[in-house]
Amino acid sequence: MFRHLATRVARAALGVQALKSEPWSAATLDLPALEAVKIKLEHEKLSGEVSVKEAVTEVAAIMGENVRLRRGFLVSSTTGIVSSYLHASADPGLARVVGLLTLEPENGTLEGQVAEAELGSALAMHVVAAKPLFLSKELVPESYLNRETDIFRSQALSSGKPSNVVDKMVQGRLRKYFEETALLEQKFVVNDSMNVQAVLDAHRKLTGRHVSITNFLRMEVGEGMQQKEE
């Protein structure tokens, strides 16, 4: 019943206007607008046409659980493709962890291109496994960069090394930080002899088609919620 509800709400979300977002990030859905959308329920314990909000309330009452519409995001493309990887999937389209990303061509479209579909699936799996925070090192917010630099410098100074050595230590740790958090800098989980940008470069040499990742999303059930510890 819960999975039926989740599937119907996700389908309805495709028709909801997303809120404005940065070009390199997933769009956030307007949840009040989504709650007002009518959906058709076809389950043995749920049937008829009701709003998303009414459906969620009904399922919560039947299950005796605190069920609520908490988050929603949209990833789309006009000339490229959206690739996905679902981890711990209970039903088609449903999972506990999902990775989404868009591959965009430099020219033309990617419709019907098998090589790009396979590449996208592998990269979406990478997103799930490697948990990147940013698309590229250039897109790491200045506030993050300043905070990490201060931490690394403080750690380096505590070693008692001279200032010129401290600067090199800080640069080295920042480089490692980018390799851990920026998608294009991360070691590819399928082949850790190359990073994700090198994977895209190798694809271009192999196929002659230049594609790039324009945005990505990793989403996991329960993340960001405070869990009560027994």
Side-chain angles (χ1 to χ4, degrees):
M1 178 176 58
F2 182 83
R3 295 197 294 265
H4 179 71
L5 172 67
T7 299
R8 291 306 166 99
V9 172
R11 288 177 182 172
L14 291 174
V16 174
Q17 182 69 36
L19 302 175
K20 288 185 178 180
S21 64
E22 299 292 348
W24 52 83
S25 63
T28 301
L29 288 175
D30 184 342
L31 294 187
L34 177 55
E35 286 182 323
V37 173
K38 294 287 187 179
I39 57 175
K40 187 176 182 180
L41 301 173
E42 297 175 313
H43 187 271
E44 59 183 16
K45 294 183 179 180
L46 297 167
S47 62
E49 188 172 294
V50 294
S51 69
V52 167
K53 185 174 183 178
E54 291 168 337
V56 170
T57 301
E58 186 175 354
V59 169
I62 295 173
M63 293 179 63
E65 297 283 353
N66 180 19
V67 181
R68 63 190 175 97
L69 182 59
R70 179 171 166 246
R71 300 180 296 165
F73 301 96
L74 177 69
V75 175
S76 62
S77 173
T78 53
T79 60
I81 56 173
V82 178
S83 297
S84 65
Y85 179 79
L86 281 69
H87 180 72
S89 178
D91 278 330
L94 299 176
R96 294 193 61 82
V97 190
V98 65
L100 299 172
L101 61 80
T102 56
L103 282 180
E104 298 287 352
E106 187 175 48
N107 298 297
T109 69
L110 295 182
E111 185 178 358
Q113 298 291 354
V114 176
E116 279 74 13
E118 293 176 349
L119 173 65
S121 295
L123 292 172
M125 180 179 69
H126 172 95
V127 168
V128 168
K131 303 179 182 179
L133 300 177
F134 317 104
L135 177 56
S136 68
K137 62 183 180 180
E138 291 79 16
L139 294 177
V140 177
E142 190 174 350
S143 58
Y144 280 74
L145 204 54
N146 292 339
R147 184 190 66 193
E148 296 301 322
T149 300
D150 290 343
I151 293 173
F152 295 151
R153 185 169 296 280
S154 177
Q155 292 171 344
L157 287 171
S158 66
S159 67
K161 297 287 195 311
S163 59
N164 63 322
V165 176
V166 166
D167 289 340
K168 290 182 180 179
M169 290 174 66
V170 171
Q171 290 303 313
R173 291 181 182 180
L174 277 176
R175 190 160 49 248
K176 185 177 180 182
Y177 175 74
F178 291 142
E179 290 175 354
E180 292 174 347
T181 61
L183 175 57
L184 295 178
E185 302 295 324
Q186 289 181 325
K187 296 293 185 183
F188 187 37
V189 295
V190 178
N191 179 3
D192 62 7
S193 67
M194 53 180 20
N195 63 18
V196 171
Q197 181 59 60
V199 172
L200 295 173
D201 294 339
H203 177 80
R204 182 178 187 178
K205 289 181 180 179
L206 182 66
T207 65
R209 295 189 293 273
H210 181 204
V211 297
S212 58
I213 302 171
T214 50
N215 60 42
F216 74 93
L217 170 70
R218 184 187 188 278
M219 198 171 181
E220 184 169 352
V221 172
E223 62 186 352
M225 296 178 66
Q226 291 184 344
Q227 301 290 335
K228 182 180 178 180
E229 294 186 7
E230 296 296 339

